[in-house]
Amino acid sequence: MTLGEFDLIDRHFRRPYPQRNDIPVGIGDDAAVVVPTAGQELVVTTDVLNEGVHFPPGTPAKAIGHKALAVNLSDLAAMGAQPRWFTMTLSLVRANDDWLASFTEGLFALADQHDIALIGGDTVSGPLSIGIQAMGEVPKGGALRRAGAQPGDRILVSGTIGDAALALQGIQQGEDQPVLRERLEWPQPRIALGQALRGLATSCIDLSDGLCADLGHILEASGCAATINSNQVPLSEAYRKSAGDNVLPALTGGDDYELCFTVPADSVVDLDELSAELELPLTEIGTIKEGSGLTVLDDYGQSIPLPHPGYEHFGDAGE
Ligand code: ADP
Ligand code: MG
């Protein structure tokens, strides 16, 4: 069944806002009205997912709904923000009721988990594309930044790295690896971790383009160099089964949506408790140094040449 634009919005996107008194005007007017919390700063981010660029054709609608919001929540996590409101621009080839029902199931399950409300958007016809703008809040001056890493700080990552990149490689080669694909399609934004790192981490970024590329952004913003040990990069069992001890996909592949952050050396011990509380591994992978650039060492302490630092749209690699 296909729906008109307004039926579609009413049926799939308009929901009541129980337990929220910060949205006096939501979906249905020309714009939404929200009430920011006194003493907090607004953190705003946007990310778009296009079919064929950010997810392969054939990705289940429910996973697309999840991921479109997850990648935005991941940016809020990297800033240490509490998610609050989001808007969504949806471009659809056709308005298929079943597809939309699955899409919003994935979208709203994640939204409810993090208490973020859909307050408006735009719906147009065109190639499948989902643009979300997410808004969150942090206490004044409390946002985590890419700048701030200091020589001597330790570099850590959450979770395990590289599964999504291997899954994508597998799909492109016609192999199905369900455990890895789950990581590609259902990334978990590290909201609780980001908030816990406020006042503790000296810098933070979420891993969307690849560990080396994203850590490179921290180094550039902080005016520092870093050395990481490839054998400390946390790999999942599924990763090792698929790629053995080849760590390159974990270093250069994107779409992990884990956090990479730095803390002063004497704060590393404080992270054990946090890791246990969040049931999320936090693994030290290297150290911030003076200078510029990233060095990745192999098991023998030799520097690994990196063929391609991460995904770039319009990059020379022709992607
Ligand atoms: P306008 O023409 O005034 O810009 P629209 O007709 O585009 O408004 O949208 C009607 C209402 O539905 C607005 O409140 C808008 O925010 C909301 N809306 C439209 N598309 C979406 C969407 N994809 N998700 C959430 N809300 C939407
Ligand atoms: Mg209007």
Side-chain angles (χ1 to χ4, degrees), residues 5-6 9 13 26-31 87-90 118-123:
E5 179 188 338
F6 298 107
I9 293 165
F13 299 131
I27 290 175
D29 217 309
D30 290 310
T87 60
M88 176 169 69
T89 299
L90 193 56
L118 179 61
I119 55 165
D122 202 10
T123 306

Side-chain angles (χ1 to χ4, degrees), residues 254-275:
D255 262 2
D256 290 313
Y257 300 102
E258 296 294 345
L259 295 185
C260 175
F261 57 96
T262 57
V263 296
D266 56 10
S267 302
V268 175
V269 286
D270 301 342
L271 295 171
D272 286 346
E273 209 173 306
L274 179 62
S275 167

Side-chain angles (χ1 to χ4, degrees), residues 25-284:
V25 182
I27 290 175
D29 217 309
D30 290 310
V33 180
V34 299
V35 184
T37 310
Q40 302 270 310
E41 287 175 337
L42 197 57
V43 180
V44 183
T45 183
T46 187
D47 256 317
V48 61
L49 297 192
N50 286 344
E51 185 177 52
V53 180
H54 302 95
F55 57 89
T59 303
K62 193 171 159 185
I64 297 171
H66 171 94
K67 189 162 179 177
L69 182 59
V71 299
N72 281 279
L73 287 175
S74 179
D75 282 324
L76 291 185
M79 302 298 287
Q82 168 67 44
R84 302 282 281 154
W85 313 282
F86 72 106
T87 60
M88 176 169 69
T89 299
L90 193 56
S91 168
L92 297 170
V93 178
R94 72 190 80 76
N96 178 295
D97 210 22
D98 292 341
W99 190 93
L100 279 162
S102 300
F103 173 82
T104 49
E105 197 186 329
L107 179 83
F108 286 131
L110 186 66
D112 291 347
Q113 190 186 330
H114 294 288
D115 205 19
I116 187 168
L118 179 61
I119 55 165
D122 202 10
T123 306
V124 297
S125 61
L128 181 57
S129 169
I130 307 100
I132 284 182
Q133 182 184 57
M135 286 155 273
E137 291 182 321
V138 287
K140 238 185 188 84
L144 298 172
R145 304 286 308 273
R146 295 178 178 186
Q150 298 283 335
D153 285 356
R154 301 296 192 249
I155 304 162
L156 291 97
V157 292
S158 63
T160 58
I161 307 297
D163 288 358
L166 284 186
L168 194 58
Q169 255 179 35
I171 289 168
Q172 285 159 351
Q173 292 161 5
E175 293 162 24
D176 193 18
Q177 306 171 93
V179 180
L180 296 174
R181 210 184 59 221
E182 169 99 9
R183 293 293 308 277
L184 178 68
E185 293 180 350
W186 298 91
Q188 296 303 319
R190 303 305 186 188
I191 292 291
L193 174 62
Q195 288 181 36
L197 289 176
R198 287 199 310 246
L200 187 61
T202 50
S203 71
C204 186
I205 193 168
D206 73 315
L207 297 178
S208 54
D209 294 336
L211 176 59
C212 290
D214 289 320
L215 178 55
H217 295 317
I218 285 189
L219 301 181
E220 232 166 80
S222 300
C224 294
T227 301
I228 63 172
N229 300 306
S230 62
N231 59 10
Q232 287 178 278
V233 174
L235 306 175
S236 72
E237 218 171 285
Y239 182 104
R240 288 189 190 278
K241 248 192 206 155
S242 169
D245 54 9
N246 177 14
V247 76
L248 269 185
L251 293 172
T252 58
D255 262 2
D256 290 313
Y257 300 102
E258 296 294 345
L259 295 185
C260 175
F261 57 96
T262 57
V263 296
D266 56 10
S267 302
V268 175
V269 286
D270 301 342
L271 295 171
D272 286 346
E273 209 173 306
L274 179 62
S275 167
E277 193 185 310
L278 299 176
E279 296 179 40
L280 179 65
L282 301 175
T283 309
E284 187 177 329

Side-chain angles (χ1 to χ4, degrees), residues 17-29:
Y17 303 106
Q19 285 120 36
R20 300 277 305 234
N21 53 11
D22 58 328
I23 311 168
V25 182
I27 290 175
D29 217 309

